[in-house]
Amino acid sequence: MIHVRHLSHSFGPYWALKDCTFSLEKGDFVFLSGPSGAGKTTLLRLLHGSLSIQRGEVRMADIDVKRLTRQQIPSLRRQVGVVFQDFKILPLRTVQQNIALPLDIRGLAPQHIERRVRAVARALGLDGRLSVRCGELSGGEQQRVAIARAFVVNPQVLLADEPTGNLDPELSLRLVELFKQFQAYGATVLFATHSIDLMRRHPGAHIMRLEQGMITNANWPGAHIFRRPDAMPVRPGASNADDVRADEAEHDRRDGRDRS
Amino acid sequence: MKRILLRLFLQGIRDFGINPWAQASTLAAVTLVCFLSGLFLMALVTLNQQLGMVRGEISFQVYWHRGTDISQIREQWQGYAHIPGFLGVKTFTPEEALEELGKRLGRTSGSLEKEFPFLAEKSPLPATALISFAPNNRNLERWISETTLFLESQPGVSRVVATPLQDELGRAWRKVSKYVMWPSISFLTLTLGLLVGNTIRLSQMARSHETEILQLVGAFNWYIRTPLIINGATLSLSGGLLALGLLFLVHMQVHDVLNFPPLLMEIQFLPWQLMLALLLAPTCMGIAASWLAVRGQ
């Protein structure tokens, strides 16, 4: 579903991504972790066509992203649901209008749009807030609106950039469960997060760690790990989530970060 | 598809609410440009009609000395019909000239004399006649000169002015058109395009957040650009409509101001083809300017 080979991207002299290679199949769920500035958002933007690919290859849902022209990018984006770190919602429009945006641009019938919007809003606990303007919502509610907008089109691929950043732990867990439900329907999910607690609560999930633009740890064979001299060694046989989580915790301890 | 287009059209109309002052200023500017162009076209239509009426005609305005015997003048008026190429004559005795002047000044018949009693005794204006000819003569200048001399030689004639209207008007019109009018209209049209384009750019900037989100959820460029282009087209069309309304009001006030001797020129309103052009030209310009403004996003 997502095949990335030797993907690199620079902003001027600074390399935000270096030689990343990994594959996700249909129905995979991967936590993308790593410190701020590790390249998580850059990777998601490249997958979504928001940044042009400088080096390497990306195939999403059988689409060669590198070959897409500017006019063809919207076709890719219609198959990918994205939840952004900064929500990207319209504050002057209502919750209903914001969630319905991807359906509106497809020209679907109003009854169908309303039915879909109500279903997704109910799942995210927004059904009582549909007529409220998004600017009047709390940060957590705005985040849920952004998530609902990504869910509403039943995308083949879901990319989430820190979607739990503004949510309390309980809601974060519920949210991951929702993403998992989408995964169960065959959607491929790439979920960027800082929260080690979230990853700990989902044993068996794929985890991929990015550091300084490189994949430094992963617990499934589809990812090619970039080894550097000072990187934490991946212990022999480290193929399950617990091992990677242990490595994550060790990294955090070493970097002096608290990421509960 | 129809539903999407209708929604985008309505969105374009609603966009008038974005930067209302900029939109209002642009609307005023578009109206002004269309109004000035409309005035020019009205002048063109009126002059063309006059040229059509007097094509091949030479007119002479003849003035007699005040106090000349009117019966002698009337005899001369009747004699003009025998001059080769004679078309017609419009005559005014001193009293008729005074009455016509009174009408031009908005007075009813005889009220001028009541207001100024000395006018009742004797009109201070001379008798005058506007004689039209269609000369069949290759050497037109010579013919004009000879006819002028002949008319001046008539008893009591004080002054003769030859007015070869068709040539003079045609030549003057061509010069004015060539050096002033069309360059002015071209400049105004370019200004209109820049104004509309800039206003649409402002709307685009005001909607940049929405545009970014629409792009991220997979909206095609035409979906994002259509409301902006419709906004530009509607702005220009509204300017054209307002200008037509203003032109109609102006025409109601001025259509008779030149309708007095010797001009007798009635100002014509625009025919429907030109009215349509006055609406379509700015609309097309608005669409083109808006498209240029948004295509780089």
Side-chain angles (χ1 to χ4, degrees):
Chain A
M1 186 56 68
I2 303 176
H3 300 284
V4 175
R5 283 175 60 80
H6 306 297
L7 185 64
S8 298
H9 195 87
S10 72
F11 296 102
Y14 171 71
W15 285 92
L17 273 185
K18 293 178 200 166
D19 201 19
C20 290
T21 297
F22 65 92
S23 288
L24 294 178
E25 299 307 325
K26 189 176 178 191
D28 277 352
F29 188 108
V30 172
F31 283 115
L32 181 62
S33 75
S36 296
K40 300 189 294 291
T41 302
T42 303
L43 175 61
L44 295 180
R45 289 178 71 192
L46 284 164
L47 296 181
H48 186 239
S50 298
L51 288 174
S52 53
I53 295 167
Q54 295 169 344
R55 283 192 199 174
E57 290 171 26
V58 175
R59 289 189 74 84
M60 296 263 291
D62 292 329
I63 299 172
D64 187 346
V65 179
K66 194 174 184 177
R67 287 179 185 273
L68 290 180
T69 62
R70 265 185 75 181
Q71 287 74 27
Q72 291 169 325
I73 293 283
S75 307
L76 167 74
R77 289 179 179 167
R78 286 181 179 215
Q79 300 188 38
V80 180
V82 189
V83 182
F84 299 94
Q85 202 169 6
D86 55 351
F87 317 151
K88 300 229 185 287
I89 55 174
L90 296 165
L92 295 179
R93 296 209 191 169
T94 63
V95 171
Q96 164 124 20
Q97 288 168 332
N98 268 282
I99 298 174
L101 209 56
L103 302 174
D104 280 340
I105 64 168
R106 288 163 168 82
L108 299 178
Q111 303 89 325
H112 177 74
I113 292 177
E114 187 165 347
R115 209 165 42 240
R116 287 285 310 152
V117 168
R118 285 195 181 279
V120 175
R122 200 178 307 115
L124 284 155
L126 288 167
D127 43 347
R129 311 284 275 163
L130 283 174
S131 54
V132 180
R133 284 188 177 190
C134 282
E136 297 165 16
L137 300 176
S138 68
E141 286 174 317
Q142 289 186 6
Q143 189 117 5
R144 277 185 278 160
V145 173
I147 292 161
R149 191 184 59 201
F151 282 178
V152 80
V153 286
N154 276 333
Q156 294 184 49
V157 176
L158 263 169
L159 305 176
D161 192 1
E162 305 277 357
T164 55
N166 289 286
L167 304 180
D168 57 62
E170 194 181 331
L171 203 54
S172 298
L173 279 174
R174 268 183 58 195
L175 182 73
V176 176
E177 287 311 316
L178 274 169
F179 274 87
K180 288 264 183 188
Q181 281 179 26
F182 265 84
Q183 178 205 6
Y185 285 114
T188 305
V189 183
L190 193 52
F191 192 107
T193 182
H194 272 131
S195 173
I196 199 140
D197 192 44
L198 267 186
M199 291 188 272
R200 191 175 292 132
R201 282 167 181 263
H202 292 89
H206 293 338
I207 300 173
M208 181 165 72
R209 181 177 172 84
L210 277 178
E211 272 184 290
Q212 294 178 11
M214 294 170 284
I215 299 173
T216 56
N217 217 337
N219 66 345
W220 88 105
H224 175 80
I225 298 166
F226 192 99
R227 296 178 197 283
R228 48 173 196 162
D230 62 332
M232 285 291 296
V234 179
R235 280 167 284 160
S239 57
N240 62 61
D242 284 337
D243 293 332
V244 178
R245 272 182 225 108
D247 289 340
E248 288 276 322
E250 176 57 26
H251 271 289
D252 288 344
R253 192 191 59 71
R254 225 173 47 171
D255 296 347
R257 273 191 298 272
D258 177 19
R259 297 191 305 163
S260 57
Chain B
M1 193 64 182
K2 278 183 197 165
R3 194 180 299 121
I4 290 184
L5 288 176
L6 180 67
R7 180 158 6 97
L8 295 179
F9 182 80
L10 293 174
Q11 172 78 48
I13 305 286
R14 274 201 301 274
D15 279 359
F16 270 106
I18 302 174
N19 295 316
W21 283 110
Q23 299 264 356
S25 307
T26 307
L27 182 63
V30 173
T31 307
L32 181 67
V33 170
C34 293
F35 177 71
L36 291 175
S37 306
L39 278 183
F40 167 61
L41 289 172
M42 261 166 64
L44 180 76
V45 167
T46 304
L47 281 174
N48 274 346
Q49 197 195 42
Q50 288 298 315
L51 287 171
M53 281 165 63
V54 297
R55 190 160 290 133
E57 284 184 32
I58 306 284
S59 300
F60 294 88
Q61 184 88 40
V62 184
Y63 299 93
W64 279 263
H65 289 292
R66 271 180 293 172
T68 306
D69 182 14
I70 194 68
S71 59
Q72 192 182 15
I73 296 172
R74 283 186 199 281
E75 271 177 37
Q76 288 180 35
W77 288 349
Q78 284 163 9
Y80 292 145
H82 303 297
I83 301 173
F86 173 80
L87 283 178
V89 62
K90 286 176 186 162
T91 61
F92 295 89
T93 63
E95 289 70 29
E96 286 168 342
L98 187 64
E99 194 176 334
E100 190 63 34
L101 179 65
K103 277 186 199 167
R104 290 292 121 205
L105 295 172
R107 305 293 203 284
T108 55
S109 180
S111 67
L112 204 62
E113 289 85 340
K114 281 181 194 164
E115 204 171 329
F116 305 101
F118 65 92
L119 293 177
E121 295 166 16
K122 192 174 184 182
S123 167
L125 299 176
T128 182
L130 184 70
I131 318 160
S132 301
F133 296 97
N136 186 15
N137 197 312
R138 286 189 180 173
N139 193 340
L140 201 60
E141 284 189 16
R142 189 173 162 194
W143 182 88
I144 291 169
S145 164
E146 285 173 2
T147 309
T148 306
L149 281 174
F150 168 75
L151 291 171
E152 278 176 345
S153 68
Q154 298 297 301
V157 169
S158 125
R159 192 159 60 100
V160 175
V161 182
T163 54
L165 207 52
Q166 81 284 18
D167 266 12
E168 292 296 326
L169 279 175
R171 210 174 303 138
W173 181 247
R174 277 193 293 276
K175 276 188 182 169
V176 168
S177 298
K178 190 174 175 185
Y179 295 114
V180 183
M181 289 298 190
W182 290 118
S184 303
I185 285 189
S186 305
F187 174 74
L188 288 172
T189 310
L190 188 67
T191 311
L192 183 149
L194 287 173
L195 273 168
V196 174
N198 271 336
T199 307
I200 298 307
R201 266 258 187 240
L202 282 175
S203 299
Q204 188 189 8
M205 284 163 70
R207 290 184 56 194
S208 60
H209 182 58
E210 183 184 347
T211 302
E212 184 195 357
I213 291 170
L214 283 170
Q215 284 174 334
L216 290 172
V217 298
F220 286 101
N221 279 339
W222 65 264
Y223 185 94
I224 295 165
R225 291 172 185 172
T226 302
L228 293 163
I229 292 172
I230 284 173
N231 184 212
T234 316
L235 196 62
S236 308
L237 181 66
S238 308
L241 280 169
L242 279 174
L244 266 185
L246 282 175
L247 280 171
F248 185 71
L249 291 177
V250 167
H251 180 256
M252 276 170 60
Q253 296 299 315
V254 304
H255 77 283
D256 249 354
V257 292
L258 297 176
N259 193 11
F260 60 84
L263 282 174
L264 296 169
M265 193 187 284
E266 195 175 331
I267 295 173
Q268 302 295 309
F269 195 64
L270 301 174
W272 69 267
Q273 295 94 332
L274 285 180
M275 284 198 276
L276 197 64
L278 207 60
L279 293 177
L280 286 182
T283 307
C284 292
M285 190 70 197
I287 290 172
S290 310
W291 185 76
L292 284 173
V294 301
R295 81 184 172 137
Q297 75 179 5

